[in-house]
Amino acid sequence: MKKINLFTNNIDLVNFFFFSYILSYIAGPAIINIYLTFFSLFCIFFFYKNNKTLHLILKDRSFILLTIFIIYIFLKDIFLYKFNLEILSFLRIYLIFSFICFYSLLNPKKIELKFIYISIILFILNLDSIYQYIFKFNIIGYQIFDQYRLTSFFENEPIIGSFIMKLFFPLLLFFYCQEKKDIFTISVLILSVFVIFISGERMPFLQLIFGISIIFLFFYQSFKKKLLFLLSIFFLISSIFIINPSAFDRYNDTYDGLNSLYKDIKDNKIIKSEIISKHGIYDYYQNFSTAISLWKKNYFLGNGYRYYKNNCKNDLKLEYSWGCSTHPHNIYLEILSDYGLIGLSLYILFIINLLYNFLKSKSDKRYYGLILTVIVTSVPFVTSQSIFSSYYGSIYFLYIFLLRYYSNFK
């Protein structure tokens, strides 16, 4: 059977995929779920039409590692008699990743990502967020969340800061590599830093600082350029603190919470439900504790797909049960509690292989913002939503999809 001639050079698949994906995510959980479902069905159709050359995908190590991880989850749950049908939702991510591996082998000519579209999307989101910050509702009427947390077009989901952060690094590195620096992109980047700061989400701002530190250390070789870059960032952040001193209080409050938690742990105080309300940091501590408690039930194999989400309160009962949530707010602790040391090792191997292949390919430096986004969202010490949920997982794996695609080109 002849290879199917879909999405060749006359149709820009990469940009269509990326920007329709982004817009579907902004539209909400229902839309991105429908999008993922239809796209995964298209992937199956594509595999069927190209079945004669499907064996080529076996040359892709990242595909093999993710396949082993998926098989491990399936077999383990079947043998433990804990098979969870929710795994079928995650299979959509696997199918799309497999399609990208296969498609990039069949179509070796690189399609450039149109960064101007990222600038436009960020510009609209930034202006809408600032409008919501001033008037307490955005341009289509969505109210601000919990009196100070911005949501923009995400309605009642206060995730605009983390979403802008994920678009910020690809645009920043693209801008860095451009010979001609345009004012529009500079304005969008500055506005993005400001909105991330005032969004009410502290972790995205810390991730922003972490990512900028990596750029400072590895991208600027000249001391003068490093100094200029450092002073520019310092001036920008200082200006934001001056413009919005109340936002600084929230970051200072985080430090106080960490300090209080450290003293309570040092004094061997049992962090019970009565004092969780003392500070949000205590909530995260309890989420982490419950994940570790569940992991201890089965160190190597874990307890099953999304086990923490469905069984945390029932299993732990009175012990730490007040710290249960839909997920433990940390990628690696969730994998440990649900898939054990074996599952965590497989997943880390997959991520390391992905990063290694991208760097080994010496891909165009304009795309280094993709790897930077994956790094800042995958470091072990950050809080996060569940990457196995349909909503957050979809935006997390989008950058893994793109990273895999641009690893193919030198």
Side-chain angles (χ1 to χ4, degrees):
M1 185 180 293
K2 191 178 179 181
K3 181 181 74 174
I4 188 169
N5 188 25
L6 285 176
F7 298 114
T8 50
N9 294 335
N10 61 322
I11 298 179
D12 194 341
L13 173 64
V14 174
N15 285 292
F16 171 79
F17 170 73
F18 179 74
F19 295 106
S20 60
Y21 199 112
I22 288 290
L23 293 175
S24 297
Y25 184 80
I26 294 172
I31 303 301
I32 189 63
N33 262 303
I34 294 170
Y35 181 91
L36 289 174
T37 300
F38 276 103
F39 202 95
S40 58
L41 290 174
F42 165 76
C43 294
I44 294 172
F45 174 73
F46 189 87
F47 295 145
Y48 171 74
K49 287 294 186 179
N50 292 271
N51 64 83
K52 293 294 184 181
T53 52
L54 196 55
H55 63 277
L56 293 174
I57 201 174
L58 297 177
K59 297 179 181 179
D60 191 291
R61 190 171 297 174
S62 57
F63 164 78
I64 292 172
L65 287 171
L66 187 60
T67 301
I68 292 172
F69 181 71
I70 292 291
I71 292 173
Y72 164 74
I73 291 175
F74 261 100
L75 293 180
K76 179 181 66 65
D77 281 19
I78 290 171
F79 286 129
L80 291 176
Y81 302 103
K82 296 178 179 178
F83 188 76
N84 187 344
L85 288 175
E86 291 182 47
I87 195 174
L88 298 177
S89 176
F90 186 66
L91 276 180
R92 297 175 301 176
I93 299 294
Y94 172 70
L95 285 170
I96 294 171
F97 183 82
S98 304
F99 164 76
I100 289 169
C101 294
F102 188 43
Y103 176 83
S104 61
L105 291 169
L106 296 183
N107 299 272
K109 187 175 180 180
K110 180 173 71 172
I111 299 174
E112 301 289 352
L113 196 63
K114 290 183 170 61
F115 287 90
I116 183 61
Y117 296 153
I118 298 180
S119 297
I120 294 170
I121 291 172
L122 274 177
F123 182 70
I124 294 170
L125 290 174
N126 286 329
L127 290 186
D128 184 67
S129 299
I130 293 171
Y131 184 92
Q132 188 182 49
Y133 179 76
I134 295 170
F135 298 104
K136 308 306 178 186
F137 55 87
N138 82 327
I139 58 175
I140 58 174
Y142 291 157
Q143 298 290 324
I144 201 166
F145 183 84
D146 197 22
Q147 298 184 337
Y148 73 93
R149 299 186 68 179
L150 303 182
T151 61
S152 187
F153 295 107
F154 293 103
E155 194 173 359
N156 59 353
E157 294 282 347
I159 58 172
I160 185 63
S162 59
F163 182 73
I164 288 176
M165 183 269 296
K166 292 178 180 68
L167 293 177
F168 174 82
F169 287 118
L171 184 62
L172 177 63
L173 266 296
F174 168 77
F175 176 76
Y176 168 82
C177 295
Q178 292 295 98
E179 289 186 9
K180 294 182 179 180
K181 313 297 185 186
D182 64 286
I183 297 199
F184 177 67
T185 305
I186 293 175
S187 303
V188 168
L189 290 170
I190 291 173
L191 282 174
S192 296
V193 174
F194 178 69
V195 170
I196 291 170
F197 183 79
I198 67 171
S199 68
E201 299 172 73
R202 284 160 284 200
M203 185 52 68
F205 187 72
L206 296 175
Q207 290 173 301
L208 181 76
I209 298 299
F210 175 61
I212 287 174
S213 300
I214 293 176
I215 295 172
F216 172 74
L217 290 172
F218 295 103
F219 283 83
Y220 286 96
Q221 303 301 324
S222 163
F223 175 77
K224 287 184 178 179
K225 287 185 176 180
K226 280 190 175 186
L227 183 61
L228 181 62
F229 180 75
L230 186 63
L231 289 174
S232 300
I233 295 300
F234 176 77
F235 175 76
L236 178 59
I237 294 175
S238 300
S239 300
I240 294 171
F241 279 133
I242 293 170
I243 294 170
N244 186 25
S246 61
F248 174 76
D249 294 337
R250 293 198 296 274
Y251 291 89
N252 189 50
D253 180 61
T254 301
Y255 171 78
D256 292 338
L258 286 169
N259 191 44
S260 174
L261 178 63
Y262 171 75
K263 288 180 180 178
D264 285 345
I265 295 173
K266 188 178 180 182
D267 295 338
N268 293 318
K269 287 185 179 179
I270 299 175
I271 314 299
K272 293 185 177 180
S273 57
E274 306 89 65
I275 63 172
I276 285 182
S277 59
K278 189 175 181 179
H279 198 280
I281 296 295
Y282 285 74
D283 295 332
Y284 286 123
Y285 174 77
Q286 282 301 323
N287 293 151
F288 300 161
S289 298
T290 53
I292 293 170
S293 296
L294 284 181
W295 171 50
K296 289 178 180 178
K297 291 166 60 67
N298 197 331
Y299 283 101
F300 293 101
L301 296 177
N303 299 290
Y305 186 80
R306 302 305 304 275
Y307 188 86
Y308 180 97
K309 171 192 170 187
N310 299 314
N311 299 280
C312 182
K313 288 187 177 180
N314 292 332
D315 272 24
L316 297 182
K317 296 179 181 177
L318 294 177
E319 182 191 7
Y320 293 128
S321 62
W322 51 79
C324 289
S325 181
T326 54
H327 55 91
H329 292 83
N330 181 275
I331 294 170
Y332 299 94
L333 289 178
E334 181 180 24
I335 295 176
L336 273 178
S337 66
D338 290 355
Y339 321 115
L341 285 170
I342 295 175
L344 181 62
S345 300
L346 290 172
Y347 184 76
I348 290 175
L349 277 174
F350 167 69
I351 292 294
I352 290 175
N353 178 75
L354 205 66
L355 300 179
Y356 173 75
N357 285 340
F358 183 84
L359 293 173
K360 183 183 176 183
S361 71
K362 295 182 179 178
S363 187
D364 190 334
K365 284 190 176 181
R366 291 179 302 164
Y367 295 96
Y368 273 41
L370 300 175
I371 193 171
L372 190 54
T373 303
V374 172
I375 288 172
V376 300
T377 54
S378 299
V379 290
F381 307 109
V382 302
T383 57
S384 73
Q385 299 177 43
S386 171
I387 62 171
F388 299 98
S389 70
S390 297
Y391 195 42
Y392 179 77
S394 62
I395 196 67
Y396 174 84
F397 280 102
L398 172 61
Y399 287 90
I400 287 178
F401 298 152
L402 292 171
L403 198 63
R404 170 59 193 84
Y405 177 76
Y406 286 107
S407 296
N408 239 42
F409 311 103
K410 298 193 176 188

